[in-house]
């Protein structure tokens, strides 16, 4: 059994890219402002420091590239910030829709699923039925991570996604919070283990992925 994240790939990548670019612009801006006053105080054609610039009342000469950065870094940064906000809104909307969508199908666990949890914990899944966190009764291919070794924060999720750290597996998605709630009625000890050892999974956007060979869909 693995854990998967219901986040659209396109908007996730756009969010990560826009955030990284906006951050890079901020860093470049501070580096530029902290070093520009040390520029030559007289024109130096050999290094292209020929554009006059008033730095805190002191006249220095900057290069065309520095002049372009002074004019364009802030507008570019604002564009990436707007893109980040749009992408973040789309990610949140997709997660909210997935959480609120109807789940007419259920899945029954008939064998011990594999995974990083102890065997006695995984055995407690057998015999239980859970609402499917998907609107179709067939298995799907998802990017997954280990329930213990996987990322524990939103930015870690994005970082792992960009570095290709996830494994693609097929299975049936079950919302983590719903699964733990139902598990508690059958085995409070197993449910407590999940809450103590994997608190990062206790979110609406986290989903267990049960492999096809340990469960079956029931209506």
């Amino acid at each position: 059994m693995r854990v998967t994240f219901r986040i659209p790939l396109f908007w996730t990548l756009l969010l990560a890219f826009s955030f990284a670019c906006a951050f890079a612009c901020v860093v470049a801006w501070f580096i530029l402002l902290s070093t520009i006053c040390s520029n030559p105080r007289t024109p130096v054609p050999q290094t292209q420091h020929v554009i006059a610039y008033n730095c805190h009342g002191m006249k220095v000469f900057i290069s065309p590239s520095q002049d372009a950065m002074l004019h364009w870094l802030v507008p570019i940064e604002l564009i990436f910030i707007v893109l980040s906000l749009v992408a973040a809104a789309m990610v949140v909307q997709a997660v909210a829709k997935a959480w609120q969508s109807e789940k007419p199908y259920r899945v029954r666990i008939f064998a011990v699923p594999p995974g990083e949890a102890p065997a006695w914990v995984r055995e407690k899944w057998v015999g239980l039925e859970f609402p499917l966190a998907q609107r179709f009764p067939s298995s799907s291919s998802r990017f997954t991570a280990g329930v213990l070794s996987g990322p524990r924060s939103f930015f870690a999720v994005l970082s792992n996604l960009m570095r290709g750290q996830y494994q693609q597996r097929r299975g049936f998605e079950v919302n983590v919070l719903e699964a733990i709630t139902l598990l508690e009625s059958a085995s409070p000890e197993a449910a407590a283990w999940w809450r103590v050892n994997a608190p990062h999974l206790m979110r609406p956007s986290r989903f267990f992925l049960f492999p096809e060979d340990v469960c079956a869909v029931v209506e």
Side-chain angles (χ1 to χ4, degrees):
M1 182 180 63
R2 308 276 290 180
V3 65
T4 185
F5 313 90
R6 185 67 65 79
I7 304 176
L9 182 59
F10 171 79
W11 291 111
T12 301
L13 292 176
L14 179 61
L15 175 60
F17 175 77
S18 301
F19 180 84
C21 290
F23 181 77
C25 288
V26 172
V27 172
W29 178 256
F30 278 106
I31 292 176
L32 178 64
L33 293 183
S34 62
T35 60
I36 201 170
C37 288
S38 62
N39 277 21
R41 299 189 184 183
T42 58
V44 183
Q46 295 85 350
T47 59
Q48 295 186 338
H49 288 81
V50 294
I51 302 175
Y53 180 76
N54 185 4
C55 185
H56 303 296
M58 178 178 61
K59 187 177 182 180
V60 298
F61 288 85
I62 62 177
S63 66
S65 61
Q66 290 176 320
D67 183 63
M69 291 176 68
L70 285 171
H71 286 87
W72 291 105
L73 267 179
V74 172
I76 291 175
E77 179 186 351
L78 291 176
I79 291 174
F80 283 121
I81 290 175
V82 171
L83 286 175
S84 298
L85 294 175
V86 172
M90 295 302 296
V91 169
V92 171
Q93 183 181 30
V95 172
K97 285 183 178 180
W99 176 244
Q100 297 173 358
S101 62
E102 297 181 0
K103 307 176 184 68
Y105 299 101
R106 299 176 67 84
V107 65
R108 178 181 298 156
I109 313 301
F110 59 76
V112 180
E116 298 176 342
W120 72 268
V121 174
R122 289 182 283 114
E123 289 171 356
K124 301 302 181 181
W125 295 119
V126 179
L128 298 181
E129 289 187 11
F130 306 107
L132 275 179
Q134 55 191 54
R135 307 187 73 173
F136 45 88
S138 58
S139 63
S140 58
S141 180
R142 299 290 184 184
F143 288 108
T144 66
V147 295
L148 298 180
S149 61
R152 296 180 174 243
S153 69
F154 178 73
F155 291 107
V157 171
L158 295 180
S159 175
N160 282 18
L161 182 63
M162 296 181 67
R163 292 183 295 155
Q165 297 294 309
Y166 296 118
Q167 296 179 342
Q168 199 162 19
R169 303 286 180 86
R170 291 197 66 85
F172 296 94
E173 284 185 311
V174 173
N175 183 268
V176 169
L177 294 179
E178 291 186 355
I180 299 303
T181 298
L182 293 171
L183 176 64
E184 189 167 25
S185 62
S187 176
E189 298 82 4
W193 184 93
W194 284 105
R195 293 194 173 99
V196 171
N197 294 278
H200 59 289
L201 301 182
M202 305 299 128
R203 303 176 186 176
S205 60
R206 296 296 187 265
F207 299 83
F208 287 134
L209 191 72
F210 288 92
E212 297 172 293
D213 57 351
V214 303
C215 58
V217 174
V218 294
E219 295 188 13

Short mmCIF file of all heavy atoms in Angstrom, two decimals, residues 5 7 12 15-20 23 84 88 91 150-163 165-166 203 205-206:
data_model
loop_
_atom_site.label_atom_id
_atom_site.label_comp_id
_atom_site.label_asym_id
_atom_site.label_seq_id
_atom_site.Cartn_x
_atom_site.Cartn_y
_atom_site.Cartn_z
N PHE A 5 -1.07 11.61 -3.99
CA PHE A 5 -1.46 12.98 -3.74
C PHE A 5 -2.35 13.46 -4.87
O PHE A 5 -1.96 13.38 -6.04
CB PHE A 5 -0.22 13.88 -3.64
CG PHE A 5 0.86 13.30 -2.76
CD1 PHE A 5 1.84 12.48 -3.30
CD2 PHE A 5 0.87 13.55 -1.41
CE1 PHE A 5 2.82 11.94 -2.52
CE2 PHE A 5 1.85 13.00 -0.61
CZ PHE A 5 2.83 12.19 -1.16
N ILE A 7 -3.13 16.02 -6.72
CA ILE A 7 -2.75 17.35 -7.18
C ILE A 7 -2.53 17.29 -8.68
O ILE A 7 -1.73 16.49 -9.15
CB ILE A 7 -1.47 17.84 -6.49
CG1 ILE A 7 -1.65 17.82 -4.96
CG2 ILE A 7 -1.11 19.24 -6.95
CD1 ILE A 7 -0.39 18.21 -4.22
N THR A 12 0.60 21.81 -10.69
CA THR A 12 1.66 21.62 -9.70
C THR A 12 3.01 22.06 -10.25
O THR A 12 3.77 22.77 -9.58
CB THR A 12 1.73 20.14 -9.28
OG1 THR A 12 0.48 19.74 -8.72
CG2 THR A 12 2.82 19.94 -8.22
N LEU A 15 3.04 25.81 -10.59
CA LEU A 15 3.22 26.43 -9.28
C LEU A 15 4.68 26.38 -8.85
O LEU A 15 5.24 27.38 -8.40
CB LEU A 15 2.33 25.74 -8.25
CG LEU A 15 2.49 26.20 -6.79
CD1 LEU A 15 2.16 27.68 -6.67
CD2 LEU A 15 1.61 25.37 -5.87
N ALA A 16 5.30 25.21 -8.99
CA ALA A 16 6.70 25.05 -8.59
C ALA A 16 7.61 25.94 -9.44
O ALA A 16 8.52 26.60 -8.91
CB ALA A 16 7.11 23.59 -8.72
N PHE A 17 7.37 25.96 -10.76
CA PHE A 17 8.20 26.77 -11.65
C PHE A 17 8.04 28.26 -11.36
O PHE A 17 9.04 29.00 -11.27
CB PHE A 17 7.82 26.47 -13.10
CG PHE A 17 8.53 27.32 -14.12
CD1 PHE A 17 9.84 27.05 -14.47
CD2 PHE A 17 7.89 28.40 -14.72
CE1 PHE A 17 10.51 27.85 -15.39
CE2 PHE A 17 8.55 29.19 -15.63
CZ PHE A 17 9.86 28.92 -15.97
N SER A 18 6.81 28.72 -11.19
CA SER A 18 6.56 30.14 -10.95
C SER A 18 7.15 30.57 -9.61
O SER A 18 7.75 31.65 -9.49
CB SER A 18 5.06 30.43 -10.98
OG SER A 18 4.50 30.07 -12.22
N PHE A 19 6.99 29.73 -8.61
CA PHE A 19 7.54 30.06 -7.28
C PHE A 19 9.06 30.15 -7.34
O PHE A 19 9.67 31.06 -6.78
CB PHE A 19 7.10 29.01 -6.26
CG PHE A 19 7.63 29.26 -4.88
CD1 PHE A 19 6.97 30.13 -4.02
CD2 PHE A 19 8.78 28.63 -4.44
CE1 PHE A 19 7.46 30.39 -2.75
CE2 PHE A 19 9.27 28.87 -3.16
CZ PHE A 19 8.61 29.75 -2.31
N ALA A 20 9.68 29.18 -8.02
CA ALA A 20 11.14 29.18 -8.13
C ALA A 20 11.63 30.42 -8.87
O ALA A 20 12.63 31.04 -8.48
CB ALA A 20 11.61 27.91 -8.83
N PHE A 23 11.22 33.55 -6.69
CA PHE A 23 12.26 33.55 -5.66
C PHE A 23 13.61 33.95 -6.26
O PHE A 23 14.37 34.72 -5.66
CB PHE A 23 12.36 32.17 -5.02
CG PHE A 23 13.38 32.08 -3.92
CD1 PHE A 23 13.11 32.60 -2.67
CD2 PHE A 23 14.61 31.49 -4.15
CE1 PHE A 23 14.06 32.53 -1.65
CE2 PHE A 23 15.56 31.41 -3.14
CZ PHE A 23 15.29 31.93 -1.89
N SER A 84 1.94 32.10 -9.78
CA SER A 84 1.97 31.22 -8.61
C SER A 84 0.62 31.21 -7.90
O SER A 84 0.12 30.16 -7.49
CB SER A 84 3.07 31.66 -7.64
OG SER A 84 4.34 31.57 -8.22
N ALA A 88 -1.72 28.00 -7.55
CA ALA A 88 -2.08 27.55 -6.21
C ALA A 88 -3.59 27.46 -6.05
O ALA A 88 -4.12 26.51 -5.45
CB ALA A 88 -1.50 28.50 -5.17
N VAL A 91 -4.80 24.32 -7.81
CA VAL A 91 -4.47 23.12 -7.03
C VAL A 91 -5.45 22.95 -5.87
O VAL A 91 -5.98 21.86 -5.64
CB VAL A 91 -3.02 23.21 -6.51
CG1 VAL A 91 -2.76 22.11 -5.48
CG2 VAL A 91 -2.03 23.07 -7.66
N GLY A 150 7.92 8.83 2.44
CA GLY A 150 7.49 9.87 1.51
C GLY A 150 7.60 11.27 2.10
O GLY A 150 7.89 11.43 3.29
N PRO A 151 7.39 12.31 1.28
CA PRO A 151 7.51 13.70 1.74
C PRO A 151 6.46 14.03 2.79
O PRO A 151 5.36 13.50 2.77
CB PRO A 151 7.30 14.50 0.46
CG PRO A 151 6.49 13.61 -0.41
CD PRO A 151 6.96 12.22 -0.13
N ARG A 152 6.82 14.96 3.67
CA ARG A 152 5.94 15.30 4.78
C ARG A 152 5.45 16.74 4.75
O ARG A 152 4.83 17.20 5.70
CB ARG A 152 6.65 15.03 6.12
CG ARG A 152 6.95 13.55 6.30
CD ARG A 152 7.64 13.26 7.61
NE ARG A 152 7.76 11.81 7.77
CZ ARG A 152 7.19 11.11 8.74
NH1 ARG A 152 6.43 11.72 9.62
NH2 ARG A 152 7.37 9.81 8.81
N SER A 153 5.73 17.46 3.69
CA SER A 153 5.25 18.84 3.56
C SER A 153 4.92 19.11 2.11
O SER A 153 5.34 18.38 1.21
CB SER A 153 6.30 19.84 4.05
OG SER A 153 7.42 19.87 3.17
N PHE A 154 4.16 20.19 1.86
CA PHE A 154 3.74 20.52 0.50
C PHE A 154 4.95 20.80 -0.38
O PHE A 154 5.01 20.35 -1.52
CB PHE A 154 2.82 21.74 0.54
CG PHE A 154 2.35 22.19 -0.82
CD1 PHE A 154 1.42 21.46 -1.52
CD2 PHE A 154 2.87 23.34 -1.39
CE1 PHE A 154 0.99 21.87 -2.77
CE2 PHE A 154 2.45 23.75 -2.65
CZ PHE A 154 1.51 23.01 -3.33
N PHE A 155 5.92 21.55 0.15
CA PHE A 155 7.08 21.88 -0.67
C PHE A 155 7.96 20.66 -0.92
O PHE A 155 8.61 20.56 -1.96
CB PHE A 155 7.88 23.00 -0.01
CG PHE A 155 7.18 24.32 -0.02
CD1 PHE A 155 6.63 24.85 1.13
CD2 PHE A 155 7.03 25.02 -1.21
CE1 PHE A 155 5.97 26.06 1.11
CE2 PHE A 155 6.36 26.24 -1.24
CZ PHE A 155 5.83 26.75 -0.08
N ALA A 156 7.96 19.72 0.04
CA ALA A 156 8.70 18.47 -0.20
C ALA A 156 8.03 17.65 -1.29
O ALA A 156 8.70 17.00 -2.10
CB ALA A 156 8.78 17.66 1.10
N VAL A 157 6.69 17.69 -1.34
CA VAL A 157 5.96 17.02 -2.42
C VAL A 157 6.36 17.60 -3.77
O VAL A 157 6.65 16.87 -4.73
CB VAL A 157 4.43 17.15 -2.21
CG1 VAL A 157 3.67 16.66 -3.43
CG2 VAL A 157 4.00 16.37 -0.98
N LEU A 158 6.39 18.93 -3.87
CA LEU A 158 6.78 19.58 -5.12
C LEU A 158 8.22 19.27 -5.49
O LEU A 158 8.54 19.01 -6.66
CB LEU A 158 6.58 21.09 -5.00
CG LEU A 158 5.16 21.59 -4.83
CD1 LEU A 158 5.15 23.11 -4.72
CD2 LEU A 158 4.27 21.14 -5.97
N SER A 159 9.11 19.29 -4.49
CA SER A 159 10.52 19.01 -4.76
C SER A 159 10.71 17.60 -5.28
O SER A 159 11.43 17.37 -6.26
CB SER A 159 11.33 19.22 -3.47
OG SER A 159 12.68 18.84 -3.67
N ASN A 160 10.05 16.63 -4.64
CA ASN A 160 10.16 15.25 -5.10
C ASN A 160 9.58 15.06 -6.50
O ASN A 160 10.09 14.29 -7.31
CB ASN A 160 9.45 14.31 -4.12
CG ASN A 160 10.29 14.05 -2.89
OD1 ASN A 160 11.23 14.78 -2.59
ND2 ASN A 160 9.95 13.01 -2.14
N LEU A 161 8.50 15.80 -6.77
CA LEU A 161 7.88 15.71 -8.09
C LEU A 161 8.82 16.23 -9.17
O LEU A 161 8.98 15.60 -10.23
CB LEU A 161 6.57 16.49 -8.10
CG LEU A 161 5.77 16.46 -9.41
CD1 LEU A 161 5.32 15.04 -9.72
CD2 LEU A 161 4.55 17.38 -9.30
N MET A 162 9.47 17.34 -8.91
CA MET A 162 10.37 17.93 -9.89
C MET A 162 11.62 17.07 -10.10
O MET A 162 12.20 17.06 -11.19
CB MET A 162 10.77 19.34 -9.45
CG MET A 162 9.62 20.32 -9.40
SD MET A 162 10.13 21.99 -8.91
CE MET A 162 11.14 22.45 -10.30
N ARG A 163 12.02 16.33 -9.07
CA ARG A 163 13.21 15.48 -9.18
C ARG A 163 12.88 14.06 -9.62
O ARG A 163 13.78 13.22 -9.72
CB ARG A 163 13.94 15.44 -7.84
CG ARG A 163 14.59 16.76 -7.43
CD ARG A 163 15.33 16.62 -6.13
NE ARG A 163 14.42 16.34 -5.03
CZ ARG A 163 14.78 15.72 -3.91
NH1 ARG A 163 16.01 15.28 -3.76
NH2 ARG A 163 13.90 15.51 -2.94
N GLN A 165 11.08 11.70 -8.03
CA GLN A 165 11.30 10.75 -6.94
C GLN A 165 10.12 9.79 -6.73
O GLN A 165 10.24 8.85 -5.96
CB GLN A 165 11.55 11.52 -5.64
CG GLN A 165 12.81 12.37 -5.66
CD GLN A 165 14.06 11.54 -5.75
OE1 GLN A 165 14.26 10.61 -4.99
NE2 GLN A 165 14.91 11.86 -6.71
N TYR A 166 9.00 10.03 -7.40
CA TYR A 166 7.83 9.19 -7.17
C TYR A 166 7.84 7.95 -8.06
O TYR A 166 8.40 7.96 -9.16
CB TYR A 166 6.54 9.97 -7.40
CG TYR A 166 6.36 11.11 -6.42
CD1 TYR A 166 6.31 12.43 -6.87
CD2 TYR A 166 6.26 10.87 -5.07
CE1 TYR A 166 6.17 13.47 -5.98
CE2 TYR A 166 6.11 11.90 -4.18
CZ TYR A 166 6.07 13.20 -4.63
OH TYR A 166 5.92 14.23 -3.75
N ARG A 203 -4.54 14.32 6.17
CA ARG A 203 -5.01 15.51 5.45
C ARG A 203 -6.00 15.08 4.37
O ARG A 203 -5.91 13.97 3.85
CB ARG A 203 -3.83 16.23 4.80
CG ARG A 203 -2.73 16.64 5.75
CD ARG A 203 -1.56 17.25 4.99
NE ARG A 203 -0.43 17.51 5.86
CZ ARG A 203 0.74 17.97 5.43
NH1 ARG A 203 0.90 18.22 4.13
NH2 ARG A 203 1.72 18.18 6.27
N SER A 205 -6.04 15.82 1.36
CA SER A 205 -5.40 15.64 0.05
C SER A 205 -4.53 14.39 -0.01
O SER A 205 -3.81 14.19 -1.00
CB SER A 205 -4.53 16.86 -0.28
OG SER A 205 -3.52 17.05 0.70
N ARG A 206 -4.57 13.53 0.99
CA ARG A 206 -3.76 12.31 0.99
C ARG A 206 -4.66 11.11 0.74
O ARG A 206 -5.76 11.00 1.28
CB ARG A 206 -3.02 12.15 2.32
CG ARG A 206 -2.00 13.24 2.60
CD ARG A 206 -0.88 13.22 1.58
NE ARG A 206 0.17 14.15 1.93
CZ ARG A 206 0.28 15.38 1.47
NH1 ARG A 206 -0.64 15.84 0.63
NH2 ARG A 206 1.27 16.16 1.83
#
